[in-house]
Amino acid sequence: MYRFLLTPRWWAINVFLLLSIPFCVFMGSWQLGRFEDRVDNHREAEAQVADAKKDKPRPLDDLLPVTKATSGKQATATGRYDTQLLVPGRTLDDKDGYYVLTLLRTGTGRALPVVRGWLPGEPDPAKAPAPPVGEVTVTGALQASETPGSNGVSARSGLPEGQTAAISAASLINLVPYDVYDAWVTLNRGDSGMRAVPASAPGGTGLDLKAFQNLGYTAEWFAFVGFVIFMWFRLFRREVELARDAELGLGPAADAADTADTADAADGDDVPRQASGVSSPVQ
């Protein structure tokens, strides 16, 4: 009954099964490992941001350029506040609001974007507190320039005057007539009664879309293992049923033989038979 397993067709099916299962398990395990690595990186990045608050602040220029190692570190800079902008579409504790961003003109000739705090509701220049006058020294967590369209940063354009969608040198250079640092600082304490904006983990270390794509691919690879096994058993059961039917004289071969016998019998009935005891007429 199981002789069909020795046919070339079934040899090919069995070899495919034996190769595809470990391959799918390997790929699923690899994707799961990638997801776990991203989770570990996310935890390490959050721990780094938390630990960075305890570090002694360092001059801004000593921490540039911003890397995964320096992101979230405490930085200090001295200068005078200049242009103030609002950054709409920012949430804090699941509440909609906006950042108050003020550019600090430093002695290097470049300006440092400083997020002085967060306010709820729609952006309103009248509600944003004016920056302090005169020379100030700011201390806060160093952050890398944002990339529009990623990590929840809006990529829309055509905002009203005095607003910017992303905190990045590429965006701000078009709004102010001086050079801007390719970094920004969020104050440890909100200025003028505003809520402080917490520092975020470095880019590429969060549980972003790519991390959940790895998790989805993991499920797909393991699901494919189940699908391959299911299809093998389905084909195997079909072949067993056909072999059993053949032993019992059932199936397509037996039906074809019965049809042939029936046709032969029908052809025999069409031949005229001579009645017994009746002589044929003399020609």
Side-chain angles (χ1 to χ4, degrees):
M1 182 181 298
Y2 302 109
R3 293 178 181 175
F4 63 86
L5 292 174
L6 301 177
T7 61
R9 173 172 172 267
W10 271 92
W11 270 104
I13 293 175
N14 292 333
V15 169
F16 174 78
L17 177 73
L18 294 176
L19 293 179
S20 62
I21 290 178
F23 176 76
C24 292
V25 171
F26 169 78
M27 292 300 298
S29 301
W30 181 76
Q31 290 288 352
L32 181 60
R34 292 286 296 165
F35 174 75
E36 292 175 346
D37 289 342
R38 292 181 184 276
V39 172
D40 292 339
N41 289 338
H42 176 67
R43 291 174 178 173
E44 292 175 0
E46 288 188 332
Q48 175 183 322
V49 172
D51 293 340
K53 293 181 179 180
K54 305 174 185 178
D55 294 341
K56 183 179 179 179
R58 296 166 56 187
L60 173 66
D61 291 329
D62 292 349
L63 298 173
L64 297 177
V66 184
T67 63
K68 290 184 179 180
T70 60
S71 179
K73 296 291 185 180
Q74 293 292 299
T76 62
T78 301
R80 295 175 179 271
Y81 280 123
D82 192 87
T83 306
Q84 181 159 287
L85 301 167
L86 305 182
V87 187
R90 301 305 175 105
T91 60
L92 187 61
D93 295 336
D94 297 327
K95 295 181 180 179
D96 295 331
Y98 57 97
Y99 293 168
V100 177
L101 175 70
T102 311
L103 296 177
L104 183 73
R105 300 287 301 273
T106 67
T108 63
R110 290 185 291 176
L112 172 67
V114 178
V115 174
R116 296 172 49 232
W118 175 89
L119 291 173
E122 294 296 325
D124 186 353
K127 294 181 180 180
V133 179
E135 187 174 83
V136 296
T137 298
V138 299
T139 301
L142 183 65
Q143 302 280 263
S145 289
E146 297 177 334
T147 302
S150 64
N151 298 327
V153 178
S154 175
R156 64 174 178 163
S157 57
L159 292 174
E161 184 178 357
Q163 296 186 21
T164 180
I167 309 174
S168 68
S171 299
L172 297 174
I173 198 66
N174 298 318
L175 302 177
V176 295
Y178 39 79
D179 291 336
V180 179
Y181 278 102
D182 190 20
W184 57 283
V185 166
T186 174
L187 298 182
N188 296 328
R189 295 182 179 180
D191 199 2
S192 302
M194 294 181 288
R195 294 187 60 183
V197 176
S200 59
T205 60
L207 294 179
D208 53 9
L209 179 60
K210 291 183 179 179
F212 292 102
Q213 282 179 341
N214 292 134
L215 190 61
Y217 293 149
T218 299
E220 288 181 1
W221 282 113
F222 285 120
F224 191 68
V225 172
F227 175 76
V228 170
I229 295 175
F230 167 76
M231 291 302 298
W232 186 90
F233 274 109
R234 184 175 181 180
L235 291 173
F236 176 79
R237 186 177 64 180
R238 179 174 176 272
E239 292 288 349
V240 170
E241 291 176 350
L242 291 174
R244 185 181 295 113
D245 291 344
E247 290 181 353
L248 297 176
L250 303 175
D255 293 341
D258 292 343
T259 302
D261 293 340
T262 302
D264 292 342
D267 292 341
D269 290 342
D270 291 340
V271 178
R273 298 179 180 179
Q274 182 176 329
S276 177
V278 180
S279 59
S280 301
V282 178
Q283 299 295 328

